[in-house]
Amino acid sequence: MAASVEQLWKITSLIILALFVSPLCPGHCQKDDDFSGAVNYNLEHSLEDGAAPPVFVPRGMISLRSMKSWGASYIHTHRLSEEDKDKLRNLALTGGLYRLRVPYQSAEGGVAYVSSFTSACAVYESGLSDLVTLSLDSVGNVVGIAAQSVTSSCSADPSHIIPDTFNTTVDIQQPVTGPIPDTHSYLEKVEKERVDKEKGEGADNRSFIQKYWIYILPVFIFMFMSSMTAPAEGGGAASK
């Protein structure tokens, strides 16, 4: 009986330990594939016209499903109220700008933002259908954002119906690694040119005349001058 109670206590302890430890592991345990899980980025927008600085409110969330596949989707977290729709309509009719931003933690530890803007009238005309491009570095840090409406037309019809949520397509811009310079081949080429130059300087392949023309030329000039003066002297003696 005592053995059965002891076994039951061990089983119960293991169950309790599993219940309390398992939920903590995803957030606190270090895994080899930390960057393979989902990462979420908060998306904020401003519907204020002429506000300085613009007032931003939560709009939704961009969920990056995996750092390996770079697939992302937009998650609705806030619906537009009737007041929000009126603000967007007024912003569109007055030719204002629709602003977006994503907060991130800066290197100094504070909160910084990447932001973008597009025509509020185009967003209004498209029925809240837009394309958001999020630029990330190799480890998932935000480096930029771009917003674009699916239509560029703008009739500014005040009776246009505005839906409650955005129809957003998310595009993740991945870092592009440039070509790696082939320094090894370049150094080999430089070394070969240096060796060839040294060989060329050490071996003199010039002809005999090319090598000693500076000595031959004075002798040739002297002989030529001598041959010119000898007949002149002979002619003078004959006339005597």
Side-chain angles (χ1 to χ4, degrees):
M1 182 68 178
S4 300
V5 173
E6 184 178 355
Q7 291 178 356
L8 181 61
W9 171 250
K10 289 182 179 179
I11 294 174
T12 304
S13 300
L14 290 174
I15 294 174
I16 295 174
L17 183 63
L19 290 175
F20 279 93
V21 172
S22 297
L24 296 176
C25 190
H28 298 276
C29 296
Q30 184 71 22
K31 300 181 295 181
D32 293 336
D33 56 344
D34 281 339
F35 297 116
S36 63
V39 182
N40 297 323
Y41 304 91
N42 294 320
L43 188 63
E44 302 175 356
H45 66 170
S46 175
L47 301 174
E48 303 294 333
D49 185 13
V55 178
F56 286 86
V57 294
R59 170 184 147 172
M61 184 180 297
I62 296 176
S63 179
L64 182 63
R65 293 187 292 272
S66 173
M67 293 294 295
K68 294 180 178 179
S69 64
W70 296 93
S73 59
Y74 177 72
I75 301 176
H76 302 285
T77 58
H78 293 77
R79 292 180 174 272
L80 292 183
S81 63
E82 292 302 321
E83 181 182 0
D84 293 334
K85 295 178 183 179
D86 290 337
K87 288 182 178 180
L88 179 60
R89 183 178 289 106
N90 293 332
L91 199 62
L93 297 179
T94 56
L97 297 176
Y98 175 74
R99 296 177 173 87
L100 278 176
R101 73 179 186 182
V102 173
Y104 69 94
Q105 188 173 8
S106 65
E108 292 77 16
V111 178
Y113 300 91
V114 292
S115 58
S116 180
F117 61 86
T118 187
S119 168
C121 190
V123 175
Y124 171 77
E125 191 74 20
S126 66
L128 305 188
S129 295
D130 59 355
L131 170 65
V132 176
T133 302
L134 195 63
S135 300
L136 306 175
D137 62 14
S138 58
V139 294
N141 297 319
V142 181
V143 296
I145 185 175
Q148 181 182 359
S149 178
V150 297
T151 179
S152 58
S153 62
C154 182
S155 61
D157 183 5
S159 63
H160 191 73
I161 299 176
I162 303 176
D164 297 335
T165 58
F166 283 83
N167 179 24
T168 300
T169 302
V170 178
D171 182 30
I172 299 297
Q173 192 173 54
Q174 307 177 26
V176 179
T177 304
I180 301 175
D182 190 2
T183 55
H184 181 70
S185 298
Y186 176 75
L187 292 176
E188 285 185 345
K189 180 181 178 181
V190 172
E191 181 65 19
K192 184 177 182 299
E193 291 177 353
R194 185 186 65 83
V195 172
D196 293 342
K197 185 178 180 181
E198 290 178 354
K199 289 181 178 179
E201 292 177 353
D204 194 349
N205 298 321
R206 294 177 298 171
S207 65
F208 178 83
I209 296 177
Q210 289 176 333
K211 290 180 182 179
Y212 304 106
W213 68 269
I214 194 171
Y215 306 108
I216 297 174
L217 184 61
V219 176
F220 177 79
I221 294 174
F222 176 76
M223 294 175 64
F224 178 77
M225 295 300 294
S226 299
S227 64
M228 293 294 292
T229 56
E233 291 177 356
S239 62
K240 268 185 180 179

